[in-house]
Amino acid sequence: MTRELLKGNVAIGEAAIRAGVQAYFGYPITPQTELLEYMAWRMADLGRVFLQAESEIAAINMVYGAACTGARVMTSSSSPGFSLMQEGLSYIAASDVPAVVVDMMRGGPGLGNILPSQGDYFQVTRSAGHGDYRPIVLAPASVQEAIDLTMLAFDLADRYRHVVILAADGQIGQMMEPAELPPMQPLTAAPPWALRGAQGRAPNRISSLYMHAESAEAANRRIQSRLSQIRQYEQRSLEYATEDAELLVTGYGTAGRIALSAVQAAREQGLKVGLLRPLTLFPFPEERLSVLADRVQACLVVEMNAGQMLDDVRLAVGGQIPVEFYGRMGGVVPMPDELLTVISRMYRRVAAPA
Amino acid sequence: MQDSFLFSGFGGQGVMFAGQLLAYAGMDAGYHVTWIPSYGPEMRGGTAHCFVILSDQAIGSPVLPRPAVALVFNQPSYEKYAGQVAPGGLLVFNSSLITADQSPSVPTLAIPATATAHGLGDARLMNMVMLSALLTVRPVLPVSALEAALAAHLPAHRRSLLAANVQALAAGAALAREAWLSPA
């Protein structure tokens, strides 16, 4: 395999193709439009389905319909467009069908701007739609991770028959980095539950409508049992220099990779600082964080929002150690030097008091 | 080693491609590289820029507050970035289109790149003249690495432009040697 210089949006598109995506439905919005554009010509070349819908609402419902056939399907959007998909996402989750959705987050709230942001953390991890469920959420920090996590997204979606959201930001979508693509995988066979014509067998039925409270509660129990398995088996995170860390920094995606530069610089100054970078936002890597919380003196959460993953960190740490927060909002990306200043100040205060 | 480069100019001047070519050459030389464009209203007309980092370590932020090197192709870019280059850095500007009316705190390299490209028969070669001038005075990579990257990564439908681009790289290197070795 050779390394290529790939733009994040294009890399995700090609990774999805190599994972065997059979249908893509979408609507343009910066900063993810290159993904839609790439799929427009590549899917047609391969004889697979590409459809530019009339809106994000239409696109997510096309994803729902295509997912019911058991094919690997996806859509992509950015924050305001992703908001429009909420109802459809909930129907997909309630119907136990797999789907992959990319949210290339941009500055908000409102129309906001097209700059990188992590302001959708609550939206993607809490439900991404009404009702009682959570999607699986993956957070890449580089073009290579965007490829690897796109491949994983399709596998997890199929394994759990669940919605998987790839939550990245404009910087990851627009940036080019060297990365390696996996080989093309064969298309997956239709699973037994798929709706593809029932000649010669009893019909399958897929629905999210439950007329009676008891049957709706049974459906909810099924979803919750799936989520509890996901919590048990799918927590993922990466670490740097946590072995002897006094201060633990944690952040995901772009904020996480910039935090890594700051943590490396802090180590060069002799500060015992480590980094935990979640790869899964749901399930949040609470087990690992809980173990680390027993060892460190304090934790600093870094995000490109007003403090959202901060809640999950506090839940995982459970009041054992002080948790502080540093964030930039509205499309501002923190710089490594800026984070280093925050880290050194906090370190002096809580980890190595004079 | 980490070096950072800001390329800025009008849409159509080859800002994005010049940055990408440096990124390709850096990748081929085994460096970690990032390339990130301005993707806002700029790309719909006006001045656009891209930011490239070459490093022997994993790169955290693909954008830095001050680049080590700025390559500015037009007057608005000069106005905006001439004073932004980090200490120890270098400012390379296209003197065919830019009136240098500031006194930046870093060394500057004036290259009549648009005039040189015109002389070679195609104004679009300006970006290659600028890029090889940069590497001639700041040899993070040899100019030959740009030639190799062009040969390796130029898409098939642009292959016919390879020879002219290589010629422009040679012209930029010659201009830079002349300007750098015999300061005014």
Side-chain angles (χ1 to χ4, degrees), chain B residues 2 15 34 43 46 49 58 60 67 100 103 131 133 139 145 154 180:
Chain B
Q2 175 164 306
V15 169
T34 54
M43 63 187 281
H49 69 266
S103 323
L131 185 54
L154 208 61
W180 206 244

Side-chain angles (χ1 to χ4, degrees), chain A:
Chain A
M1 293 307 298
T2 52
R3 289 189 340 142
E4 302 166 58
L5 192 63
L6 293 169
K7 185 175 239 204
N9 281 328
V10 168
I12 291 170
E14 183 59 29
I17 283 164
R18 299 199 182 189
V21 70
Q22 291 184 61
Y24 172 97
F25 309 91
Y27 189 80
I29 182 170
T30 307
Q32 67 79 49
T33 299
E34 294 87 355
L35 174 45
L36 175 112
E37 184 186 20
Y38 183 79
M39 295 307 250
W41 70 266
R42 190 80 167 100
M43 292 294 269
D45 274 2
L46 291 166
R48 303 185 192 177
V49 174
F50 168 86
L51 201 154
Q52 181 174 325
E54 69 271 32
S55 71
E56 288 87 348
I57 297 173
I60 193 67
N61 283 290
M62 291 173 185
V63 165
Y64 181 20
C68 291
T69 71
R72 288 192 156 184
V73 295
M74 80 181 291
T75 184
S76 59
S77 191
S78 177
S79 309
F82 182 77
S83 287
L84 286 171
M85 296 183 174
Q86 305 299 291
E87 184 199 29
L89 284 166
S90 181
Y91 283 35
I92 291 170
S95 301
D96 309 322
V97 292
V100 172
V101 179
V102 178
D103 180 9
M104 205 56 79
M105 296 182 276
R106 58 185 247 181
L111 198 51
N113 59 40
I114 59 179
L115 297 166
S117 165
Q118 298 179 326
D120 301 356
Y121 182 92
F122 281 152
Q123 193 180 23
V124 294
T125 60
R126 267 26 187 194
S127 74
H130 60 278
D132 227 354
Y133 82 100
R134 292 177 174 217
I136 296 172
V137 184
L138 308 177
S142 65
V143 173
Q144 184 65 59
E145 258 179 24
I147 292 169
D148 298 345
L149 294 183
T150 298
M151 304 294 289
L152 178 66
F154 283 98
D155 288 344
L156 293 177
D158 281 351
R159 187 176 311 152
Y160 294 101
R161 292 173 62 181
H162 200 57
V163 177
V164 181
I165 294 172
L166 190 75
D169 60 66
Q171 183 157 297
I172 291 162
Q174 295 296 324
M175 181 171 55
M176 291 179 95
E177 284 187 304
E180 198 172 311
L181 285 156
M184 186 74 89
Q185 291 184 6
L187 299 182
T188 48
W193 51 261
L195 306 186
R196 293 199 173 196
Q199 206 168 26
R201 63 162 169 82
N204 290 331
R205 183 173 177 279
I206 294 176
S207 170
S208 73
L209 177 66
Y210 302 95
M211 294 298 279
H212 304 289
E214 290 75 14
S215 58
E217 189 176 47
N220 270 279
R221 285 192 200 288
R222 192 179 63 237
I223 291 170
Q224 292 305 320
S225 130
R226 182 198 307 162
L227 293 181
S228 106
Q229 279 189 24
I230 290 169
R231 275 201 185 89
Q232 189 179 346
Y233 296 117
E234 306 300 345
Q235 295 182 24
R236 288 172 170 82
S237 57
L238 292 175
E239 281 170 49
Y240 171 79
T242 50
E243 308 78 31
D244 62 342
E246 301 281 346
L247 173 63
L248 180 71
V249 179
T250 181
Y252 54 94
T254 290
R257 83 182 259 164
I258 296 171
L260 175 61
S261 292
V263 166
Q264 284 170 333
R267 278 278 166 181
E268 281 166 22
Q269 295 178 8
L271 310 186
K272 290 184 175 174
V273 183
L275 177 79
L276 175 78
R277 181 160 66 79
L279 291 172
T280 51
L281 303 184
F282 183 84
F284 187 71
E286 56 196 7
E287 284 173 19
R288 188 60 197 157
L289 184 55
S290 176
V291 167
L292 291 173
D294 288 338
R295 297 196 209 146
V296 300
Q297 303 297 318
C299 179
L300 172 69
V301 179
V302 178
E303 296 180 79
M304 282 143 51
N305 60 37
Q308 300 191 19
M309 184 181 80
L310 175 61
D311 285 10
D312 284 329
V313 171
R314 283 189 173 137
L315 285 169
V317 163
Q320 274 178 271
I321 49 168
V323 176
E324 296 187 13
F325 175 74
Y326 184 79
R328 300 298 301 263
M329 295 169 285
V332 179
V333 179
M335 289 291 122
D337 288 355
E338 178 184 350
L339 295 186
L340 178 59
T341 305
V342 174
I343 288 169
S344 337
R345 280 191 192 141
M346 184 174 174
Y347 188 85
R348 279 197 299 273
R349 195 155 35 76
V350 299

